[in-house]
Amino acid sequence: MELDAQPHYPVAGEVITDSATFSLIPDGLKPKDATVLFVHAHPDDEASSTGATIGALTDAGVTVHLLTMTRGEMGEVIDPALRHLEATHPANTDRGHALGEYRTGELKASLKALGIRHHLYLGEGASYLPGERTSYRDSGMTWGSDGRAIANPAAADDCLTRLPLKSQADAIASAIREIRPDVVVTYDADGGYGHPDHKRTYEATLAAVRSLEGTPSAPIALWGIEGDPNRQDTRQQAVIMGSIDHKREAMRAHATQITITSETTFEYSNGVSQPINPTETYRLLWGTAQSGTPADVSPEESVEAPGPINSAISAIALGLIAGFAGTMYHAHIWYPTSALWVPWGAALGILTVYFASTWVAIHTEKNWAAALLGATAFILIGIFAFAKGTSMLVYINPINPIGTAGTIWALGSLVASTLGIMSATKYRRNKT
């Protein structure tokens, strides 16, 4: 790529304020009790921008989650043997899809080097929202005449920066509700060196956190990776002098994007030498650096959601209850005329599963718990229908009213749990 000016990358640690704190963890919160969520734009950003910090946190026993907004489909590839994966390569026809999959493999190696055990892409897992996208494409970028990153004029319509901000913020908020991080970390408004996806990630993450203000799910603090140093910036600064070894090995994992040129230096595809900096600095974007209950949330309201094991137990127990109860009355049918019949028992059974699924998804703040409830009820119905052919509690065969009611009850249990997930998601979004 020909550049009109030398690419500009901020160097962390050039300005350290007198009031700087040296931890992202709020005062009074023990590392082993803390959870931190990093929100990054592409695979490799977690390593190059925050690798020293993440390595130090995981070494200290902090639980670290990473949410990556895109799979980096528009990245330039350093290795000539893999350059055909580039979305802009003349021989490429998949718009960078294969590169995104390849970079996912690199990301897994980076996560191992950093000690991160929890990762998701935007639109997946805890950030999944019914009816919304399950993946977002890298927007790409180009270099401006001043050496700063600017928007890619050929960015695809389905890329991160071309799609609605609100949906992305809602997805991040959903992840925060389930993960319950004490601290969230993303970019500052300038996106570091200005990448459009970094800026959008900042906007979406800040909007997500603000939408949770006043709720038990709100984190204590939101930190932004400091870009160009500004001595006039009065926001609280955090300075992390972290692990260069973790950072270097995590960066090494992203070989399509980064070349490690020495123990302390690296290059991107543009060949500009940069230091592998063990010092990483942040500015407080929202919240407080002090431990405690988030603003406007009383201790009585800050009730922790059940953990995965308790959530699973609740879901299975309710699924068995709903499945058994519905089975007992699903075959009740009203015959207003000889030609017309209404399977009100099956409808009541389906409503039982729906309300149970909605409740468990809201109570546990985990949509998968509602899916587990529905699956449990469905399996139980199947046992009642097929385990003993001479004494069936559920007859599944739509050749007569009783068989039709059984069919409706069996399939309706799965539909009911899906609707319960959608209702619970809508409830949480409206609540915030």
Side-chain angles (χ1 to χ4, degrees):
M1 175 186 294
E2 295 184 4
L3 303 173
D4 296 327
Q6 180 85 345
H8 172 78
Y9 296 101
V11 178
E14 289 186 333
V15 172
I16 297 178
T17 64
D18 293 336
S19 61
T21 181
F22 292 88
S23 175
L24 297 179
I25 306 303
D27 294 341
L29 186 62
K30 296 179 180 179
K32 67 181 181 61
D33 297 328
T35 299
V36 180
L37 170 65
F38 285 79
V39 185
H40 276 292
H42 318 101
D44 83 62
D45 292 328
E46 81 292 335
S48 59
S49 297
T50 57
T53 300
I54 294 174
L57 289 173
T58 56
D59 279 350
V62 176
T63 299
V64 175
H65 291 250
L66 172 64
L67 190 162
T68 310
M69 302 287 276
T70 78
R71 289 164 176 76
E73 296 91 342
M74 296 300 294
E76 295 180 330
V77 177
I78 294 174
D79 186 351
L82 296 174
R83 204 158 289 163
H84 63 281
L85 296 176
E86 288 184 355
T88 57
H89 190 280
N92 186 282
T93 58
D94 69 357
R95 303 170 67 230
H97 177 77
L99 176 59
E101 292 300 311
Y102 193 93
R103 294 187 67 179
T104 294
E106 293 181 330
L107 178 57
K108 290 179 180 178
S110 174
L111 298 178
K112 184 176 181 181
L114 294 174
I116 299 176
R117 298 181 180 181
H118 311 280
H119 173 259
L120 69 159
Y121 281 112
L122 187 67
E124 295 182 345
S127 67
Y128 167 75
L129 294 176
E132 299 292 350
R133 299 185 63 87
T134 56
S135 66
Y136 292 83
R137 282 179 54 79
D138 180 359
S139 304
M141 53 150 281
T142 188
W143 293 102
S145 58
D146 60 352
R148 307 273 179 164
I150 59 175
N152 172 19
D157 291 338
D158 61 348
C159 73
L160 188 69
T161 55
R162 293 282 181 91
L163 292 169
L165 172 66
K166 186 178 186 305
S167 298
Q168 297 161 14
D170 288 345
I172 296 172
S174 176
I176 293 174
R177 287 191 199 94
E178 181 161 326
I179 296 169
R180 288 298 189 92
D182 301 291
V183 174
V184 178
V185 182
T186 189
Y187 309 96
D188 203 348
D190 61 4
Y193 64 93
H195 195 298
D197 283 342
H198 291 201
K199 292 181 177 181
R200 171 53 67 91
T201 301
Y202 155 81
E203 294 167 351
T205 306
L206 182 59
V209 171
R210 284 176 171 168
S211 76
L212 297 171
E213 187 169 4
T215 74
S217 302
I220 298 170
L222 170 65
W223 292 95
I225 303 164
E226 191 168 23
D228 287 320
N230 179 3
R231 296 183 184 277
Q232 307 306 314
D233 193 340
T234 60
R235 296 173 300 172
Q236 176 66 55
Q237 185 188 47
V239 179
I240 309 301
M241 298 176 182
S243 168
I244 192 172
D245 293 330
H246 281 297
K247 183 171 185 173
R248 182 178 56 250
E249 294 314 303
M251 292 172 66
R252 195 189 305 276
H254 294 284
T256 61
Q257 308 299 303
I258 295 171
T259 299
I260 303 298
T261 52
S262 75
E263 292 295 291
T264 58
T265 59
F266 76 100
E267 295 176 359
Y268 288 122
S269 60
N270 54 32
V272 177
S273 182
Q274 298 184 64
I276 302 175
N277 194 345
T279 300
E280 294 164 350
T281 60
Y282 305 84
R283 292 287 181 167
L284 187 64
L285 304 179
W286 182 94
T288 175
Q290 304 297 317
S291 181
T293 304
D296 301 326
V297 183
S298 67
E300 290 76 19
E301 293 175 317
S302 299
V303 179
E304 283 291 326
I309 295 176
N310 287 335
S311 297
I313 292 172
S314 297
I316 293 171
L318 283 174
L320 292 172
I321 293 171
F324 182 81
T327 295
M328 292 303 99
Y329 48 70
H330 84 280
H332 287 275
I333 299 174
W334 177 42
Y335 295 89
T337 69
S338 60
L340 179 64
W341 51 273
V342 179
W344 66 267
L348 184 60
I350 290 170
L351 284 174
T352 302
V353 175
Y354 166 74
F355 286 118
S357 298
T358 302
W359 182 87
V360 80
I362 292 173
H363 175 68
T364 65
E365 298 187 2
K366 298 174 178 64
N367 284 344
W368 62 258
L372 179 59
L373 186 153
T376 300
F378 180 75
I379 291 171
L380 182 63
I381 294 167
I383 292 173
F384 285 144
F386 302 111
K388 190 175 181 182
T390 59
S391 179
M392 294 182 293
L393 289 175
V394 180
Y395 178 51
I396 300 178
N397 192 342
I399 61 173
N400 55 37
I402 294 295
T404 300
T407 304
I408 292 173
W409 167 227
L411 299 179
S413 62
L414 296 178
V415 175
S417 63
T418 301
L419 293 175
I421 292 172
M422 295 172 66
S423 296
T425 301
K426 184 177 182 181
Y427 169 80
R428 289 194 295 264
R429 292 172 68 177
N430 290 338
K431 186 178 179 181
T432 58

